[in-house]
Amino acid sequence: MLISKMAAEGGGKEMNEIKTQFTTREGVYKLLTHSEYSRPNRVPFNSQGSNPVKVSFVNVNDQSGNGDRICFNVGRELYFYIYKGVRKAADLSKPIDKRIYKGTQPTCHDFNHLTATAESVSLLVGFSAGQVQLIDPIKKETSKLFNEERLIDKSRVTCVKWVPGSESLFLVSHASGNMYLYNVEHTCGTTAPHYQLLKQGENYSVHTCKSKSTRNPLLKWTVGEGALNEFAFSPDGKFLACVSQDGFLRVFNFDAVELHGTMKSYFGGLLCVCWSPDGKYIVAGGEDDLVTVWSFLDCRVIARGHGHKSWVSVVAFDHYTTSVEESDPMEFSGSDEDFQDQMIHFGRDRANSTQSRLSKRNSTDSRPVSVTYRFGSVGQDTQLCLWDLTEDILFPHLPLSRTRTHTNVMNATSPPAGATIITNASSNTTNGNNSGANTPGINSLSTTLPRSNSLPHSAGTTTTTTANNTNKAGSGGGIGSGIMDSAIATGVSKFATLSLHDRKERHHEKDHKRNHSMGHISSKSSDKLNLLTKTKTDPAKTLGTLLCPRMEDVPLLEPLICKKIAHERLTVLIFLEDCLVTACQEGFICTWARPGKVGLLSSQNQASSPSGTVV
C-alpha cells in the first residue's frame, strides 16, 4: 500500500517521509500521537468522492477545566468528543455524540460560542444536498432543519457560520454562489421564497424575502460567478470577506450591505480566506498555489507567498504568535506623521494581549513598534506552511535613511500600487547573495510556476522591450539614481533591472490602470462587465492592475517551514493556545504541541499508545 503510494507520488524516501516535528524561531512543534482524533476504529477513511473533513471547536466553560469540545465530519459521519489536547490522550471509544446520515453528507459546521454551556451547545451543520441542521450534541436533540425541502437552494453548502455576537442569526454559503442569512427562530415556509431587490453593486446583489409573515431566509446574497467557496467575518464582526470560484476576493460591509474592496487571484478560483487578529489584513489561498496578503485599509495586494505545490485549502492566522515589540526609535527616518499614519491605527481592541498591545498605541507615542503576523496554510500537496508577515513587507513605503539589516529596500515616489519591491533576505535565503543580476521575483518562479509563467508578458511587447532597454541602462551602475520619477534605489545591483522595469512599465500603464483597475469606480458599464462579471475574462485584463498585480510588483514571501505532514490532502488548520490542529482527508485529526507545551503526554507510558497510523 505504502509502496504504491510512493510510486504514485513519484518520489523516494525523502519525498514521502512524513514529519512528526518541525522547528521555528520559537522552538520545536511536536506531533502528539496520543492526541490523534479519528473514527473510533482508526481505519483510514477512503475519501474518494467525499466532502472535505472539517473540524470545529467550542469551549463549554466546564468547571473541571476540561471544557474543550471537538466536532468533525468524516464521510457520512459526524462526531462530537471531549478534546483533551496536549493534556491527555484521546479516548475514541466514548464519543459524546455520533451521527450517520443517509442520502447526504455533512460538509461544514460551526458552534455558537455565545450560548455554549456544559449542558447545551448549538451546532450548525451544512450538507451536500443544501440543507442546514441545528443540533445539540450534548442534549442529543435536533432542534431544526433549514432548507429541508431544498426550496431555498439545491446546491451544496460550502460554509456555515454564526453571525458574530448573535445568538440566533447565521449565514450559509452555497456552491450556487448564493449566501443566505437565517434566523433560528423563523421557519423556512412551505413554498419557494419570493425576493425583492435591496441593493445591487459590482457583480453582487442582495435581496430581501418578500412575505406577509417573517420567514427565512432574511436576506439572499448573490456574489460573483460560480461557487462561493468560503467566507469569514472580520474580528469586530462588521465586515465579511468572501472568496469565489471566479477567483475574486470580495469584502463587504456586512450591515450596510456595501462592497468595500476586491482582489483577483493570479489564476483559478480562490478556496479559503482569513483575517488578521486586528482586522487589518486578509489572506486568501486557492488554485494558483499561492497565499495572497491583502491590505484591508489600502484595498491592495501587499505580498504573495509561494511554497505550496498544489491548491491551498486552508489559511489561518496564529493569534498567539503574532507579536508586537518596541524597537529602536532611530530605525525610522520618516516624520512622526508618516509613521503614525502607517503604524498607529490598530483600531479594534481584542481580548488577546497581543492585540490589546496592537490597539493601545496612541498618537503621542512616537516610538516605533515592530509587528510580526504569523499565519499558516495547508494544501492538497499534503504540506503545512508557516509564514511570517513582517514590517518590511507591511510598510515598504515609509522613507528610510538607510537600508535595514537583512533587507533589500527600494523606494519609488510613485503610487502605492505595488510601487516598491522588497525582498526579505532573512527568509529568502536562496536569493540572498549579492552576486548575479537575477530578479528573484521572476526567475525563482519560472521553474516552479510553469502555468503562470507566461502571464506577465501577455500585456503586449512594450513590457519586454522596456525591460531590455532598462537592463542595459541599469546594469552598469548597479544603482539606478535619478531615473524616472526621481526614484531612489537603495537595493543591491541585482534589483536594479526589476526596479527600472517596474517604473517604466508603470509609466506606460498609468492610463490603463486608471480605466481598468478600479472596476467599482469606473463609470463605463461595459468596462465593469468585462472586468468583473465574466468568469472567463482573459487574465491579462486584470493582470498588472490593482486587482491582480504582476508577480514582480509585490514582495514574494517564502515559508518559514514547509513540511509534508500527511498522506492525503490537508483540509484543516486551526491555531489553539497550546497547540495547532491539522486534519487530512483520511479522517485523522492531529494535534501538534507548541514549544514547551508537550505536558503530560510526553511522560506517559508509550505502551498505552493506541496502534493507529501516525499522520
Side-chain angles (χ1 to χ4, degrees), residues 116-135:
T117 66
E119 293 77 39
S120 171
V121 292
S122 296
L123 176 66
L124 289 168
V125 185
F127 290 91
S128 54
Q131 305 93 334
V132 178
Q133 193 179 39
L134 174 63
I135 61 177

Side-chain angles (χ1 to χ4, degrees), residues 463 466-467 470 497-506 552:
T463 56
T466 52
T470 51
T497 52
L498 182 60
S499 165
L500 295 165
H501 173 197
D502 181 47
R503 285 198 293 277
K504 274 206 174 178
E505 189 177 80
R506 209 168 32 251
E552 63 265 34

Side-chain angles (χ1 to χ4, degrees), residues 395-466:
F395 312 113
H397 43 294
L398 283 178
L400 299 180
S401 59
R402 65 183 77 82
T403 307
R404 277 190 233 162
T405 329
H406 301 314
T407 313
N408 296 308
V409 182
M410 289 192 298
N411 279 333
T413 57
S414 35
T420 311
I421 316 295
I422 292 193
T423 335
N424 191 339
S426 58
S427 62
N428 200 354
T429 48
T430 51
N431 300 320
N433 55 24
N434 291 339
S435 60
N438 294 330
T439 50
I442 305 168
N443 292 352
S444 63
L445 281 177
S446 57
T447 50
T448 49
L449 282 180
R451 288 166 293 175
S452 58
N453 202 27
S454 60
L455 288 176
H457 306 293
S458 54
T461 50
T462 4
T463 56
T464 325
T465 51
T466 52

Side-chain angles (χ1 to χ4, degrees), residues 154 169 214 218 259 274 302 333 401 405 451 483 491 544 565 598:
K154 290 182 168 58
L169 296 176
T214 311
L218 304 177
L259 187 65
C274 67
I302 58 165
S333 60
S401 59
T405 329
R451 288 166 293 175
I483 305 176
I565 60 167
V598 174

Side-chain angles (χ1 to χ4, degrees), residues 45-53 73-76 105-106 569 585:
F45 175 67
N46 180 3
S47 59
Q48 294 304 314
S50 74
N51 289 287
V53 172
N73 60 292
V74 182
R76 297 185 298 122
Q105 290 187 0
R569 66 184 188 270
Q585 197 52 26

Side-chain angles (χ1 to χ4, degrees), residues 32 34-35 85-89 598-604 606:
L32 302 179
H34 299 81
S35 293
V86 300
R87 294 181 303 279
K88 292 180 180 175
V598 174
L600 301 172
L601 288 174
S602 57
S603 59
Q604 283 184 348
Q606 292 298 316

Side-chain angles (χ1 to χ4, degrees), residues 5 61 96 123 133 192 222 245 328 341 365 373 380 386 509 536-537 559 565:
K5 235 175 208 166
N61 302 312
I96 301 172
L123 176 66
Q133 193 179 39
T222 302
Q245 198 55 41
D328 182 358
D341 284 349
D365 186 357
Y373 295 87
Q380 299 202 2
L386 293 181
E509 283 187 359
K536 297 186 179 176
T537 308
I565 60 167

